[in-house]
Amino acid sequence: MNIVLTGMPSSGKTETAKALNKLIENYALIDTDEKIIQKEKMSVNEIFALKGEEYFRKIETAVLKEVLENDNQIISSGGGIIKRDENVKLLKEKAVIAYLKADINTLYERARKSSERPLLNGGNLREKLEKLYKERKEKYEQAHIIINTEEMTPYETAEKIMEKINEYYKR
């Protein structure tokens, strides 16, 4: 079983994946953005600036397919991985999807501290977050598990994911 974390930029996917990795023995920890950086030998910001979002999404899908060939992984995905229907289909077939949900105010406070999010750089950050959320909300909510990360640490979120996975498989 693979567990993939999805959610908006700054929803806590990377830190929660690390915490989840401490709770589950013998699972590999994979970050799709890091895989893309290794493959392309440039940062996500550089890929967006030099080659564009469509190129990035194409590489993201290729990396996802490669990653999902394996099992027993905790996968921290990029926030936009759900933009392609092909990716959503793959994830539903080969992973338990956990959507880390947070409200715009929380995302805004977290995102203000980072410049590593190409779709949020420049302009009004709050407006950009709201636009991305409206575009992606429906796809995020197709997840097997939805966790509201408000007021939760990454470790608490990881524990909640494990609890929900156990409930999900008892059905």
Side-chain angles (χ1 to χ4, degrees), residues 39-55:
K39 188 176 196 115
E40 293 295 304
K41 296 179 180 32
M42 61 178 98
S43 72
V44 172
N45 279 343
E46 290 170 324
I47 297 168
F48 269 74
L50 298 172
K51 299 185 177 187
E53 182 178 0
E54 189 52 40
Y55 177 85

Side-chain angles (χ1 to χ4, degrees), residues 124-164:
N124 186 310
L125 177 59
R126 186 178 299 276
E127 285 175 10
K128 287 183 175 202
L129 283 167
E130 288 170 355
K131 182 177 183 271
L132 280 180
Y133 180 73
K134 285 177 188 166
E135 289 171 2
R136 298 174 179 181
K137 180 180 187 278
E138 186 179 309
K139 296 243 177 131
Y140 285 139
E141 291 180 348
Q142 292 180 34
H144 300 104
I145 297 167
I146 299 174
I147 307 286
N148 187 331
T149 64
E150 298 294 321
E151 311 287 324
M152 290 174 69
T153 67
Y155 189 81
E156 290 167 335
T157 303
E159 287 181 318
K160 192 69 160 174
I161 290 168
M162 290 306 301
E163 179 185 313
K164 295 284 188 182

Side-chain angles (χ1 to χ4, degrees), residues 26-83:
N26 302 321
Y27 265 57
L29 179 59
I30 307 290
D31 183 305
T32 57
D33 282 352
E34 287 301 319
K35 288 266 190 200
I36 293 167
I37 290 166
Q38 291 168 5
K39 188 176 196 115
E40 293 295 304
K41 296 179 180 32
M42 61 178 98
S43 72
V44 172
N45 279 343
E46 290 170 324
I47 297 168
F48 269 74
L50 298 172
K51 299 185 177 187
E53 182 178 0
E54 189 52 40
Y55 177 85
F56 177 84
R57 298 294 171 208
K58 192 168 105 179
I59 297 300
E60 184 176 55
T61 298
V63 164
L64 180 63
K65 286 177 180 176
E66 182 183 308
V67 165
L68 289 175
E69 287 176 8
N70 298 309
D71 205 12
N72 297 332
Q73 302 173 109
I74 298 162
I75 304 165
S76 175
S77 70
I81 205 161
I82 49 77
K83 286 183 71 170

